[in-house]
Amino acid sequence: MSKELEALLALSAQDARLRSLEERLARLQAQREQLEETLAAEEREMSARREALEALRRRSRERAAEADDLDAQIRKYRRQLEEGLLSFKEMEALREQLQSSQARMEALEEEAIALLEEVEREEERMRERETSFHKWRQRIAEELAEVDREIAAQKERLEAERSRRRTLASSVSAPLREQYDRLLREYENPVVPLREGRCTGCQLQVSEITVERVREGREIVSCENCLRILYAH
Ligand SMILES: [Zn+2]
């Protein structure tokens, strides 16, 4: 095999190595994105739950305040009745109002108590959720840090391998490198072995003359069909 072909094969092997490193890096970056998305979704869900709890607390406070207001109103009605400075008709009306207010007060108090109990239950649930969310988030943060370390290491390796590629490329003549680079834009494997008279890139039979030239190995030979560079297996 000619030195030129050997240099080209080394370059081609290096490109395959680079490709697999780049793919691994892309997978790591996708993994990182996935983790961040999951984290963001969970955080949105948690803040929705916190808001729901806050709304429940607000509703509970409002009911309690309503009950307090009504209680003050009822006291006022009672005082007025006790003072007795009203006409019979007015007293009757006031009694009716007092009755309906008391009925409403009972309903309100029941509602306020139910709400308060619900708030307490939800707060307890929320504390548990916050605790497990906190633990989970910490685990995700650790995973993210691990992925980041891997990404950094992978980038460093890629940089070293790219520099190695430049060295390997510089030992291939300029015209052949151009030919190779052109093929590389089209194929992942621009340099392939010839097997039983077939180009292993396109799987087609090549001519006897081509087979012979590849076997001699004195020059760079291309497949007649796909133009990949051939070497003897
Ligand atoms: Zn071919």
Side-chain angles (χ1 to χ4, degrees), residues 11-226:
L11 181 60
S12 171
Q14 183 63 8
D15 278 337
R17 192 171 302 125
L18 276 172
R19 216 162 27 242
S20 84
L21 284 176
E22 276 157 6
E23 278 163 14
R24 167 133 183 78
L25 181 61
R27 274 200 302 278
L28 283 168
Q29 275 160 341
Q31 195 185 339
R32 189 184 201 292
E33 243 168 72
Q34 185 63 53
L35 281 172
E36 291 217 304
E37 269 171 36
T38 309
L39 192 60
E42 285 296 318
E43 258 163 13
R44 274 197 302 277
E45 203 189 313
M46 278 307 286
S47 78
R49 285 183 192 282
R50 284 184 203 114
E51 272 166 35
L53 176 58
E54 203 36 64
L56 186 64
R57 282 194 191 110
R58 220 164 28 239
R59 223 163 53 237
S60 167
R61 279 196 302 270
E62 280 164 9
R63 282 294 168 282
E66 263 179 71
D68 284 349
D69 288 349
L70 194 59
D71 187 50
Q73 190 65 45
I74 289 169
R75 280 168 206 276
K76 201 175 131 200
Y77 290 154
R78 283 208 185 107
R79 267 200 312 277
Q80 283 175 321
L81 280 174
E82 280 160 16
E83 281 162 6
L85 300 170
L86 304 162
S87 72
F88 180 75
K89 235 180 152 183
E90 283 170 328
M91 296 276 271
E92 272 304 290
L94 199 55
R95 263 192 209 98
E96 250 171 58
Q97 256 176 329
L98 184 59
Q99 238 166 15
S100 83
S101 290
Q102 270 167 336
R104 188 164 146 56
M105 184 70 189
E106 269 170 44
L108 252 181
E109 270 177 342
E110 251 173 59
E111 215 183 316
I113 287 167
L115 271 170
L116 203 61
E117 281 170 356
E118 202 184 332
V119 165
E120 278 165 11
R121 272 198 308 276
E122 273 307 307
E123 277 174 346
E124 180 57 34
R125 256 183 234 144
M126 200 61 198
R127 270 194 292 279
E128 282 163 21
R129 271 194 208 110
E130 293 280 8
T131 306
S132 63
F133 176 66
H134 187 73
K135 278 186 202 151
W136 176 82
R137 195 170 49 189
Q138 218 157 340
R139 215 168 51 237
I140 296 293
E142 279 161 23
E143 262 181 69
L144 266 173
E146 178 61 35
V147 171
D148 279 345
R149 275 194 295 279
E150 273 185 61
I151 285 175
Q154 206 65 15
K155 278 182 175 167
E156 214 170 291
R157 244 184 100 190
L158 250 176
E159 212 32 70
E161 295 293 350
R162 280 191 184 125
S163 139
R164 198 168 157 241
R165 188 206 191 263
R166 282 192 290 277
T167 310
L168 288 171
S170 69
S171 54
V172 177
S173 73
L176 183 56
R177 210 164 61 218
E178 262 172 47
Q179 185 185 348
Y180 171 81
D181 285 340
R182 224 175 15 252
L183 286 168
L184 194 60
R185 281 196 282 278
E186 207 170 334
Y187 307 119
E188 279 197 353
N189 55 346
V191 189
V192 294
L194 187 68
R195 267 199 197 104
E196 289 159 9
R198 279 175 197 279
C199 159
T200 52
C202 66
Q203 310 304 332
L204 288 184
Q205 201 83 37
V206 296
S207 72
E208 286 295 322
I209 298 166
T210 300
V211 172
E212 197 48 43
R213 284 168 62 213
V214 170
R215 194 175 301 143
E216 281 169 6
R218 281 197 295 267
E219 57 187 328
I220 295 299
V221 185
S222 296
C223 166
E224 298 133 23
N225 178 59
C226 68

